Amino acid sequence: MALPQVMVPYAWDFQGRPASKSRTGGWTSAAMILGVEACERLTTLGIVVNLVTYLTGTMHLGNATSANTVTNFLGTSFMLCLLGGFIADTFLGRYLTVAIFATVEATGVIILTISTIIPSLRPPKCAANTGPSCVPATGIQLVVLYLALYLTALGTGGVKSSVSGFGSDQFDETDKEEKSRMIKFFHWFFFFINIGSLCAVTILVYIQDNLGRQWGYGISACAILMGLVVFLSGTRRYRFKKLVGSPLTQIASVVVAAWRKRHLELPSDPSFLFNVDDVAEEQGMKKQRLPHSKQFCFLDRAAIKGTENVSTTKVNKWSLSTLTDVEEVKLVIRMLPIWATTIMFWTIYAQMTTFSVSQATTMDRHIGKSFQIPAASLTVFFVGSILLTVPIYDRLIVPIAARLRHNPQGLTPLQRIGVGLVFSICAMVAAALVEIKRQRYARSNGLTGDPTVEIPLSVFWLVPQFFFVGSGEAFTYIGQLDFFLRECPKGMKTMSTGLFLSTLSLGFFVSSTLVSIVHKVTGHRKPWLADNLNKGKLYNFYWLLAVLSVLNLGVYLVCAKWYVYKDTRLAEEGIELEEAEDSFHA
């Protein structure tokens, strides 16, 4: 007699039947999802880290234009995570979102590869005696390039928005053993991201510089296609969760309901506001009730009982919201100052894939007599510093902080973000000083006229700025992820992750805006961001970023001091905080 199958609550298999614990999910499914993420990271970063040299050297665009193209591409990729998350939560589900957008990304990379093969899709090479008068890319050539890049960005945004969540869906959170495996999945997820990054900044960049862009981008296209095939091959093993709608709808409905009742007077006792006494279930989890808070009291109007029939919880959410829904929206609003003050870090981060790579192209990159490091491969020090900082933090800083502050987790999320912001300031100071030194070498050797001539200064002088930004990311990225997952309302974690990723997007867009403003203001006579870096004043741009980062740090410290953690707020109200099942600590 066959033993009865143990089913996973609130999960279904690919045929819509209740998911069997023994036949679906687990590490087998998670491994296939990790595979597509590693391939996506390899593909995207393999394009990004060396893109600025392709735009300047092959498409003959200026340094400022090329830097903006790279940052706009990255910014769009991360901003589209919000769109991808909305589509996944509301229409397609995470599985179809990953499959469809991975296909879109593959299409974009294939078009990019084709543009490097067909001669008519790129401008002719510069003749040896023409110098700065190289013919820039034409309109149709740029159209094909941008089509390829933004199809890739669209695919990247859709994949990133859902792949980690779909991976966590493969583990049963009600089972302690599977829940512990889910936490390990997030660790492996972070590990595979960095493995993909290492392969991109070493192997792919070397192939692009020595064998040709068509080979490098072609391998990227094959990688994402291979990842898609591996992902689809696991369809029969996956666990699927029911669509529950986007949290953005809840936020919009609360704001609309409050605006409709803006003329009504709030009751003196919040108990008169509409709420549900029975705990509702959303996404297969019990919705945590939150106490009433006095901040942002305008939104409380959304819960004022009017002419609606409140005898049932099935009311029009666009005219009446529960007090718990209102308080969840308030939680999101409280996180916004922290969200806004972390954008500047990613503006600094953007320089590592643009101007820092441009600096490297002018410096001595030889190891020994025969081997020359590709300029974009300097980012290996950036990735390496991340991999080095994480274990140092876990093994050294956490025990010290635990003894001094009696916190077994070490630094709080806001403290970790603060440390990352300090590292970003150090990075810009180091970058400015190195650029001053690089220009002095160029002038002393009479090499300011030709930007293609190698300056006799080792490229390893750039390592400190890569190191500081990489270490800063290890603190900021994990601190932000921990903060947004811990502090967001239960059931809004997909949106909260998208909110976190939007700081990366806006950081790249802020970089593009600053570059455009500085390039326009400094003019053509004494430009800071000249096409010939030896005649520009890039160090002034770095100083500007350092000053802005110091000011941003001051605002961040004020916001961090003002912020009260959700568990502290609930403890003050005498409410026990449920453990955040999706949160993990790297």
Side-chain angles (χ1 to χ4, degrees):
M1 183 176 177
L3 295 175
Q5 293 289 331
V6 179
M7 301 301 174
V8 182
Y10 310 109
W12 289 263
D13 65 14
F14 75 106
Q15 292 181 327
R17 302 170 302 188
S20 168
K21 183 166 290 189
S22 61
R23 296 180 180 177
T24 63
W27 277 117
T28 301
S29 301
M32 297 176 184
I33 297 170
L34 288 173
V36 72
E37 172 57 22
C39 291
E40 184 278 325
R41 184 71 169 185
L42 173 70
T43 299
T44 304
L45 201 61
I47 293 172
V48 168
V49 293
N50 213 14
L51 183 58
V52 70
T53 60
Y54 178 72
L55 297 175
T56 55
T58 301
M59 305 303 285
H60 306 153
L61 303 180
N63 276 322
T65 302
S66 300
N68 280 353
T69 300
V70 175
T71 51
N72 287 339
F73 167 71
L74 283 170
T76 303
S77 299
F78 287 106
M79 185 60 72
L80 287 171
C81 289
L82 289 173
L83 174 64
F86 177 80
I87 292 174
D89 288 340
T90 310
F91 302 107
L92 298 179
R94 290 167 176 168
Y95 168 79
L96 282 178
T97 300
V98 172
I100 292 173
F101 281 89
T103 304
V104 172
E105 181 176 357
T107 302
V109 181
I110 290 171
I111 295 175
L112 182 62
T113 304
I114 292 173
S115 71
T116 64
I117 296 174
I118 301 176
S120 61
L121 294 179
R122 60 184 188 275
K125 292 183 178 181
C126 301
N129 58 351
T130 57
S133 61
C134 299
V135 179
T138 63
I140 187 63
Q141 292 168 344
L142 290 176
V143 166
V144 174
L145 174 67
Y146 292 146
L147 174 64
L149 289 178
Y150 286 99
L151 278 176
T152 304
L154 176 61
T156 299
V159 172
K160 283 184 179 296
S161 68
S162 300
V163 67
S164 61
F166 189 57
S168 66
D169 288 345
Q170 308 311 306
F171 301 94
D172 180 11
E173 298 166 10
T174 63
D175 184 312
K176 290 186 178 180
E177 184 177 349
E178 287 206 17
K179 187 175 180 180
S180 66
R181 292 174 186 170
M182 184 181 70
I183 296 174
K184 291 181 180 179
F185 165 78
F186 283 118
H187 291 156
W188 280 107
F189 185 81
F190 186 73
F191 175 79
F192 270 78
I193 284 177
N194 286 284
I195 290 298
S197 300
L198 277 175
C199 293
V201 301
T202 53
I203 299 173
L204 276 185
V205 168
Y206 181 83
I207 291 173
Q208 290 170 10
D209 284 0
N210 292 275
L211 299 181
R213 297 281 174 163
Q214 65 273 23
W215 286 101
Y217 294 153
I219 292 174
S220 296
C222 292
I224 190 62
L225 286 173
M226 182 178 67
L228 178 60
V229 170
V230 171
F231 177 76
L232 294 176
S233 67
T235 301
R236 292 177 176 272
R237 289 280 314 179
Y238 293 143
R239 294 173 185 171
F240 301 86
K241 298 294 180 71
K242 184 179 179 181
L243 293 178
V244 294
S246 173
L248 295 175
T249 305
Q250 176 183 331
I251 296 174
S253 64
V254 168
V255 173
V256 170
W259 177 255
R260 284 180 173 179
K261 300 178 180 180
R262 61 189 181 278
H263 300 301
L264 299 181
E265 185 177 352
L266 285 170
S268 57
D269 187 349
S271 63
F272 289 107
L273 296 174
F274 175 63
N275 208 347
V276 286
D277 295 328
D278 297 328
V279 180
E281 291 192 355
E282 291 189 2
Q283 301 181 21
M285 301 180 296
K286 289 185 178 181
K287 193 168 187 178
Q288 182 185 18
R289 295 194 59 182
L290 300 172
H292 176 260
S293 61
K294 295 181 180 180
Q295 285 181 310
F296 315 115
C297 58
F298 168 78
L299 295 175
D300 291 343
R301 288 180 168 83
I304 296 179
K305 301 173 185 178
T307 59
E308 301 89 347
N309 180 13
V310 297
S311 61
T312 174
T313 56
K314 293 182 179 179
V315 297
N316 184 0
K317 62 184 178 182
W318 295 96
S319 61
L320 180 63
S321 301
T322 67
L323 183 59
T324 295
D325 286 341
V326 172
E327 291 300 325
E328 286 183 343
V329 174
K330 289 183 180 181
L331 280 177
V332 174
I333 295 176
R334 291 188 189 100
M335 292 190 292
L336 292 182
I338 302 298
W339 169 84
T341 49
T342 54
I343 293 172
M344 194 62 200
F345 175 86
W346 301 106
T347 300
I348 303 300
Y349 176 97
Q351 312 315 311
M352 298 302 102
T353 58
T354 54
F355 291 118
S356 292
V357 175
S358 296
Q359 286 177 289
T361 60
T362 68
M363 302 171 72
D364 180 10
R365 293 177 278 119
H366 288 89
I367 296 180
K369 295 182 179 180
S370 58
F371 182 74
Q372 186 178 46
I373 304 173
S377 287
L378 262 292
T379 51
V380 72
F381 293 102
F382 168 77
V383 178
S385 65
I386 297 175
L387 297 176
L388 182 64
T389 301
V390 171
I392 289 178
Y393 174 81
D394 285 339
R395 300 299 180 184
L396 183 62
I397 298 179
V398 169
I400 294 175
R403 287 195 297 269
L404 295 179
R405 302 182 60 86
H406 306 290
N407 182 2
Q409 296 173 354
L411 302 179
T412 66
L414 293 180
Q415 289 170 341
R416 295 182 77 161
I417 295 172
V419 172
L421 294 177
V422 172
F423 272 121
S424 70
I425 297 171
C426 296
M428 287 300 94
V429 172
L433 294 176
V434 171
E435 176 60 13
I436 292 173
K437 184 179 184 68
R438 191 194 66 81
Q439 288 207 10
R440 286 176 179 172
Y441 266 72
R443 286 194 299 269
S444 63
N445 288 275
L447 301 175
T448 58
D450 189 351
T452 62
V453 177
E454 181 183 284
I455 296 173
L457 179 66
S458 174
V459 76
F460 293 109
W461 280 96
L462 298 177
V463 170
Q465 62 202 60
F466 283 101
F467 174 81
F468 280 127
V469 173
S471 297
E473 185 191 359
F475 281 95
T476 302
Y477 187 100
I478 297 174
Q480 279 185 286
L481 189 59
D482 193 1
F483 172 77
F484 282 102
L485 287 177
R486 176 191 295 187
E487 297 302 302
C488 75
K490 201 172 187 180
M492 286 192 177
K493 297 192 184 297
T494 299
M495 186 211 69
S496 185
T497 302
L499 194 65
F500 152 56
L501 292 175
S502 71
T503 63
L504 281 72
S505 170
L506 292 173
F508 295 125
F509 286 136
V510 169
S511 177
S512 296
T513 302
L514 285 175
V515 168
S516 297
I517 293 174
V518 167
H519 194 54
K520 184 175 182 179
V521 170
T522 57
H524 298 287
R525 292 185 178 181
K526 294 182 179 180
W528 288 8
L529 308 175
D531 292 341
N532 182 350
L533 286 183
N534 298 330
K535 292 185 176 181
K537 296 181 179 180
L538 178 59
Y539 50 86
N540 280 343
F541 183 65
Y542 285 146
W543 287 126
L544 173 64
L545 290 175
V547 171
L548 292 176
S549 297
V550 170
L551 296 176
N552 178 75
L553 177 63
V555 176
Y556 171 81
L557 293 175
V558 173
C559 295
K561 186 176 181 180
W562 168 81
Y563 188 84
V564 179
Y565 285 106
K566 184 172 69 172
D567 55 353
T568 303
R569 187 184 302 274
L570 294 180
E572 291 173 353
E573 298 289 339
I575 297 177
E576 183 179 356
L577 179 65
E578 297 178 14
E579 182 182 0
E581 65 286 320
D582 288 341
S583 183
F584 69 96
H585 304 281

